Amino acid sequence: MASVKKQNTPSAARRAKLEEARRKERARERRSRIITISAAVAVVAGLVVGGGYLMNAADEQDKAETAAKSSPVQGEKSWDKLAQNHVQKKVDYPMNPPVGGDHNPVWMNCDADVYTQEIPKENAVHSLEHGAVWVTYTSKAKPADLKKLTERVSATPYSLMSPVEDQGAPLMLSAWGKQLTVKSAADARVAQFFTKYVQGPQTPEPGAACSGGIAK
């Protein structure tokens, strides 16, 4: 009997080692599954939270835009019953910069165009008729304000920017029948003016082109 035990001992040891290896492998697989499931749960939770955040952010932005469009722009001036005749001559406008009235048959390009020299007012008025916002400034405007406004116009189709040295303030914004004077580009009314009047309800010819006109 003693000799049988000696013969079986190595075999039993091998079986024990094999069983131990299998046990460890099963444990590793369980840990891997737990880690994988935990990671998946974390990803899903993150997507749910992130998606909820993005939805809330988008909803808040929509509400802000709706409020900006429905609320009056404080301090703006308005004109109505403006003429829309095409003329080939200089026009003596009652406001400066002009916000409407008779104008040149060709518009200034206003597809996020920034002009560093003065442009013909009669062509710019035609751009306003198409729903553009026109940012104007004098040499007294601060460089930081001009930089910020340039960035906004450059990123906004249906807008243009140019100097108008003889206007009454360093920074002004105009749309068809609307005009606003601000002291700083950081004024919250700048964003509201763009939101409300770029292709806004005041536009006589919504959807008309802002390219293919004059590029100075």
Side-chain angles (χ1 to χ4, degrees):
M1 293 296 293
S3 61
V4 172
K5 283 185 179 181
K6 286 180 182 179
Q7 290 174 357
N8 291 341
T9 296
S11 177
R14 285 195 297 272
R15 285 198 301 271
K17 288 182 179 180
L18 182 59
E19 185 60 32
E20 177 64 15
R22 288 173 177 170
R23 185 187 66 77
K24 290 181 178 179
E25 180 63 24
R26 289 194 295 270
R28 280 195 298 270
E29 290 176 354
R30 284 196 298 272
R31 286 196 298 272
S32 296
R33 284 197 298 272
I34 292 171
I35 292 171
T36 301
I37 292 171
S38 299
V41 169
V43 169
V44 170
L47 290 173
V48 170
V49 173
Y53 172 79
L54 292 174
M55 289 179 65
N56 288 335
D59 187 49
E60 290 300 318
Q61 184 176 354
D62 289 342
K63 288 180 180 178
E65 288 184 0
T66 300
K69 290 178 179 179
S70 61
S71 302
V73 179
Q74 294 297 319
E76 74 175 12
K77 295 180 180 179
S78 297
W79 292 263
D80 56 11
K81 297 181 181 178
L82 296 167
Q84 293 178 242
N85 301 309
H86 288 178
V87 297
Q88 296 284 359
K89 62 182 181 179
K90 286 284 185 181
V91 178
D92 184 16
Y93 293 105
M95 75 293 287
N96 187 38
V99 300
D102 293 342
H103 50 271
N104 192 277
V106 185
W107 57 91
M108 288 300 301
N109 284 344
C110 46
D111 191 16
D113 289 280
V114 176
Y115 302 97
T116 57
Q117 296 180 351
E118 293 204 25
I119 60 178
K121 294 174 181 177
E122 293 77 13
N123 300 96
V125 169
H126 197 154
S127 301
L128 302 186
E129 186 182 45
H130 289 189
V133 163
W134 183 19
V135 176
T136 53
Y137 61 93
T138 73
S139 57
K140 295 181 180 179
K142 297 177 181 178
D145 287 329
L146 295 182
K147 181 177 183 293
K148 192 165 187 174
L149 289 168
T150 295
E151 290 172 350
R152 180 178 289 277
V153 170
S154 297
T156 308
Y158 285 93
S159 73
L160 69 163
M161 180 174 175
S162 71
V164 176
E165 193 59 39
D166 61 348
Q167 67 183 25
L171 296 173
M172 298 179 74
L173 286 76
S174 301
W176 184 270
K178 305 292 181 180
Q179 193 165 84
L180 177 68
T181 298
V182 294
K183 293 183 178 180
S184 167
D187 191 316
R189 294 176 299 167
V190 172
Q192 184 186 6
F193 197 91
F194 270 77
T195 299
K196 191 176 181 74
Y197 295 130
V198 169
Q199 284 284 283
Q202 85 294 340
T203 305
E205 297 180 3
C210 242
S211 59
I214 295 177
K216 188 175 181 179

